[in-house]
Amino acid sequence: MKVAVYIVFAILLASCGNPGVASRPGSPQDVAARYLAENYPGRVALDIDTSDSELATPDAFRVVRGGDGEVRVTSPSAAGLLYGACHLVRMHASGADSADFDAVEVPAYSLRLLNHWDNLDGTVERGYAGRSIWRWDALPDSVSPDIYDYAMRCAAVGINGIVLNNVNASPRVLSAEYLSKVRALADVLRPYGLRTYLSVNFASPAALDSLPTADPLDRDVRRWWDAKVDEVYDSVPDFGGFLVKANSEGQPGPCDYGRSHADGANMLAGALAPHGGIVMWRAFVYSASDADRAKQAYQEFEPLDGDFAPNVILQIKNGPVDFQPREPYSPLFGAMPHTPQMAELQITQEYLGHSNHLAFLAPMWNEFFQYVEPGSLSGIAGVSNVGDNACMTGHPMADANLYAFGRMAWNPRLTPERIADEWTVLHLYGDAAAVPDSVKEGIRRMMLSSHEAVVDYMMPLGLHHIFAFGHHYGPEPWCDVPGSRPDWMPRYYHRADRAGIGFDRTSHGSNAVEQYPDSLRCVFDDIATCPEKFLLWFHHAPWTHRMSSGRTLWDELCFAYQRGVRAVDGFIPVWDAARPWLKDGFYEPVAAKLKVQAKDARWWRDACLLYFSTFSRMPLPEGVEVPEHSLSDYMRVKLPIDNYTCPSDSLLDCYR
Ligand code: GCW
């Protein structure tokens, strides 16, 4: 089949006035035409072509420029045409000569998904950009116009599926009432090449229909899921499948009935298989056992390799604990050769300063792909940072993370530099061609160094999980909530004492290193070869341990915190210098947030160093600023959970 759509048609489409629900385009090809009409000046033909052997997957596309100047985009699918159109717009915006537009692009993964942790009451777990963009209450009768914009933003970076609701899933999402809302959303998302998925609560049969059990081997339970899945597909014929958090942090699961994760996943997979649906089963499990939390997911899942149905994919967080500012990769990756796996990355900045701190995450994800071979994965999911705020991602610069996630889900080998350059040209600068090189270079360096800066002022050298309890904003390495699980307390992770600091996961300690392939196990196990960025993840090192810089560990720690503070201070003049070149809506909010970030960076440095010095009993080295307040003052700081900014300059006024 060959269908050519020309821009003239697209202009007609685009000129229908403010597009209400009814006049929105109906297929990805229409969306592509419309997008080109609005963003690309030349003539473009969009042709479905199923005969091109280089276009090996449906979303792949080819872009060629004909002799007459017309550009031709071909793909086996309408969605591929949309991705090709977006490629063209990207290339055009970045000032590339149209001769360079020619490309064959095949996405690395057929599953490039966003996971929304959106609750049905409109709140968003770990969301820092307002309430749920879905506006569940208004559905199905009214669909927020923001959703169309969001869908286009997703399509423009190649995302092709969305899990609509929180993994801590309410059973109600599968009720008839909510399925009608889900259907309305799926109808809106479909033309943008976005498939709809749902998180499901494993106890749904019991919770929704009062079955006496949710045991996956129970015949009635299986029937219930079969019928429920049929009902879902009646509403959404191209429904993608289920995402499941089971037996994790209090969620129900198959282990409640003495069954394994494979039993649970396979039961759902059996219901979905006739419709072509999949199960994404999360590996984020840990119990309050004595075993090192970093080892538990591996211990639970590795023995199940080969037991899962073919349409089950194990969804694994990038690191073995939980989206910390820096973690080594999870050793489950690559350890289950008979089980498809996908990576779960967190775009929302739960552990990276929420939507107050600038942290461009492409370098962090790039580091993950240095260890995990992209080709070993079947898909990739990102926990969304989107809400109904005017700035959809809460921090104007956090849009770069949504962008980076999509681009890396398409091609994990794209460099952070390239992604930062693309995003700034498309979204940050008014007229990119006019921006002086010095400004561009300043912004590029700021973005590329921003994640490392956050690591430095929060948790350098492999420290992790020393956040304030609950909301995870700000430092609380001393936190001790009586009666709470030890593995939810920072001390469990930093283990500072008179001798040193860090979690001994070596062969002499918890032996978490044994879960890594031999080549890495040896490197991580030996304090002399362990990369210093992971030092305190794997070792309980003496305060006087000699670092490669020649400094003691204590001094190095102090300098790292100080370096993080300096880096953020340095972002402020860079941002000010860029002011004349920025699009509207960027300068003021980011300038204000950088001030908060600079203040928070000092808070982290001072609180952590004062606290750790009670163990090291060593002085701050010269060059590290003297803390403004006392440790006991910092220990009294209590941040209200829903208010992370304040006008006052004094931390103690703000946060107590
Ligand atoms: O990071 C932790 C978060 C929880 C989250 C959980 C998970 C959705 O603090 O809020 O729950 O991970 O990934 O399941």
Side-chain angles (χ1 to χ4, degrees):
M1 180 179 46
K2 289 204 177 226
V3 188
V5 174
Y6 291 93
I7 292 310
V8 95
F9 166 61
I11 288 167
L12 284 176
L13 254 178
S15 63
C16 301
N18 185 21
V21 175
S23 65
R24 293 285 181 172
S27 86
Q29 189 159 343
D30 297 337
V31 175
R34 180 191 202 102
Y35 188 63
L36 287 168
E38 287 165 2
N39 297 289
Y40 186 76
R43 281 187 305 138
V44 185
L46 301 172
D47 294 339
I48 299 278
D49 181 356
T50 50
S51 63
D52 187 333
S53 59
E54 273 190 82
L55 304 183
T57 66
D59 291 349
F61 62 82
R62 181 188 290 280
V63 177
V64 250
R65 202 179 48 138
D68 56 357
E70 181 183 89
V71 177
R72 188 162 172 254
V73 179
T74 55
S75 170
S77 76
L81 295 180
L82 177 54
Y83 302 132
C86 296
H87 168 87
L88 211 53
V89 169
R90 232 178 357 252
M91 296 301 283
H92 170 69
S94 65
D97 188 272
S98 62
D100 299 335
F101 290 5
D102 290 10
V104 171
E105 291 253 346
V106 181
Y109 306 116
S110 57
L111 291 171
R112 306 179 298 278
L113 309 190
L114 287 172
N115 290 184
H116 275 246
W117 285 358
D118 295 20
N119 297 312
L120 306 186
D121 66 2
T123 57
V124 180
E125 184 154 348
R126 310 304 179 184
Y128 312 105
R131 292 170 61 78
S132 171
I133 194 169
W134 309 132
R135 300 203 172 87
W136 291 103
D137 284 351
L139 293 168
D141 303 327
S142 147
V143 175
S144 158
D146 291 353
I147 299 175
Y148 294 90
D149 295 344
Y150 176 48
M152 189 61 235
R153 277 157 91 154
C154 291
V157 290
I159 287 161
N160 71 347
I162 299 191
V163 183
L164 299 178
N165 61 316
N166 191 356
V167 288
N168 291 327
S170 164
R172 274 208 311 152
V173 78
L174 291 177
S175 65
E177 180 196 357
Y178 270 88
L179 286 181
S180 71
K181 296 172 190 269
V182 169
R183 172 195 210 135
L185 288 175
D187 289 346
V188 171
L189 299 175
R190 189 175 297 112
Y192 297 84
L194 296 164
R195 232 173 213 230
T196 295
Y197 300 75
L198 290 176
S199 297
V200 294
N201 182 302
F202 199 78
S204 295
L208 273 186
D209 281 324
S210 310
L211 263 64
T213 175
D215 180 349
L217 301 192
D218 181 275
R219 215 181 39 181
D220 292 338
V221 168
R222 299 173 84 92
R223 281 205 191 120
W224 187 92
W225 280 109
D226 288 345
K228 185 51 81 179
V229 167
D230 290 346
E231 197 186 329
V232 172
Y233 277 89
D234 283 345
S235 295
V236 184
D238 58 346
F239 181 70
F242 291 151
L243 171 64
V244 192
K245 171 175 179 177
N247 293 116
S248 162
E249 298 186 330
Q251 291 300 313
C255 311
D256 301 343
Y257 309 95
R259 314 297 183 194
S260 73
H261 283 276
D263 293 331
N266 293 347
M267 183 261 301
L268 295 176
L272 288 156
H275 304 274
I278 59 166
V279 175
M280 293 164 288
W281 193 266
R282 296 177 88 225
F284 178 66
V285 299
Y286 61 100
S287 61
S289 74
D290 287 346
D292 175 0
R293 173 168 163 186
K295 293 175 70 173
Q296 294 191 31
Y298 185 104
Q299 287 172 332
E300 184 83 40
F301 284 97
E302 191 272 340
L304 299 177
D305 189 25
D307 291 353
F308 290 96
N311 58 332
V312 176
I313 305 180
L314 200 61
Q315 182 166 309
I316 309 166
K317 289 188 181 185
N318 58 293
V321 170
D322 186 9
F323 295 140
Q324 294 304 289
R326 165 165 280 131
E327 295 194 36
Y329 80 97
S330 164
L332 254 184
F333 290 109
M336 301 176 67
H338 307 293
T339 308
Q341 299 185 327
M342 58 194 285
E344 180 179 311
L345 309 175
Q346 196 180 42
I347 312 170
T348 189
Q349 292 172 229
E350 174 181 359
Y351 294 104
L352 288 158
H354 298 188
S355 52
N356 279 345
H357 293 198
L358 185 147
F360 178 54
L361 302 180
M364 176 167 84
W365 300 330
N366 183 267
E367 184 173 293
F368 169 76
F369 283 116
Q370 307 295 317
Y371 287 94
V372 174
E373 169 51 40
S376 67
L377 301 176
S378 304
I380 182 160
V383 181
S384 159
N385 61 349
V386 164
D388 71 353
N389 268 2
C391 158
M392 224 176 246
T393 51
H395 190 308
M397 297 296 283
D399 180 62
N401 291 331
L402 184 62
Y403 183 91
F405 171 78
R407 295 290 287 135
M408 291 180 80
W410 183 278
N411 179 1
R413 291 292 184 218
L414 285 180
T415 63
E417 290 78 356
R418 156 102 183 253
I419 296 169
D421 287 350
E422 283 183 8
W423 181 81
T424 48
V425 164
L426 286 165
H427 298 293
L428 184 66
Y429 300 130
D431 174 7
V435 182
D437 284 347
S438 59
V439 168
K440 280 190 186 153
E441 187 50 26
I443 293 287
R444 181 186 296 131
R445 270 208 246 129
M446 175 182 82
M447 288 177 73
L448 293 174
S449 62
S450 57
H451 168 255
E452 200 65 43
V454 179
V455 171
D456 275 344
Y457 65 70
M458 284 187 185
M459 278 163 253
L461 301 177
L463 283 175
H464 50 291
H465 230 311
I466 58 174
F467 293 94
F469 188 70
H471 52 64
H472 299 157
Y473 190 93
E476 208 172 343
W478 50 79
C479 174
D480 191 7
V481 178
S484 185
R485 285 171 57 152
D487 58 345
W488 284 353
M489 294 294 107
R491 284 197 182 120
Y492 175 91
Y493 299 98
H494 66 67
R495 306 199 167 204
D497 57 19
R498 271 301 284 133
I501 180 170
F503 197 133
D504 184 358
R505 297 192 164 107
T506 69
S507 43
H508 308 289
S510 80
N511 205 13
V513 291
E514 75 173 345
Q515 295 177 339
Y516 288 91
D518 267 0
S519 53
L520 272 176
R521 181 184 53 76
C522 304
V523 170
F524 292 152
D525 198 35
D526 185 347
I527 197 166
T529 54
C530 182
E532 288 184 348
K533 62 186 174 187
F534 298 136
L535 184 71
L536 305 181
W537 185 283
F538 287 113
H539 295 266
H540 187 75
W543 294 110
T544 52
H545 171 72
R546 237 352 111 187
M547 305 292 289
S548 58
S549 62
R551 299 184 185 118
T552 62
L553 168 60
W554 168 249
D555 282 0
E556 190 75 24
L557 194 66
C558 296
F559 279 117
Y561 274 106
Q562 179 68 36
R563 192 169 57 227
V565 170
R566 287 233 170 88
V568 180
D569 286 349
F571 296 162
I572 292 170
V574 169
W575 190 247
D576 288 343
R579 183 174 192 169
W581 317 102
L582 303 175
K583 281 189 178 160
D584 289 347
F586 272 91
Y587 177 75
E588 278 90 6
V590 175
K593 281 172 185 290
L594 283 174
K595 278 194 191 153
V596 174
Q597 186 172 3
K599 188 168 64 177
D600 287 349
R602 290 184 160 71
W603 175 25
W604 271 98
R605 177 196 62 194
D606 296 348
C608 292
L609 290 181
L610 282 172
Y611 172 71
F612 290 135
S613 72
T614 64
F615 300 98
S616 76
R617 302 198 192 152
M618 293 162 87
L620 294 180
E622 209 173 308
V624 175
E625 287 165 49
V626 176
E628 201 185 335
H629 306 288
S630 68
L631 177 58
S632 58
D633 274 342
Y634 287 115
M635 289 174 80
R636 283 205 302 275
V637 171
K638 280 284 171 255
L639 180 68
I641 189 136
D642 51 358
N643 178 17
Y644 310 111
T645 50
C646 80
S648 164
D649 280 343
S650 165
L651 174 73
L652 300 187
D653 289 350
C654 286
Y655 294 142
R656 194 164 352 215

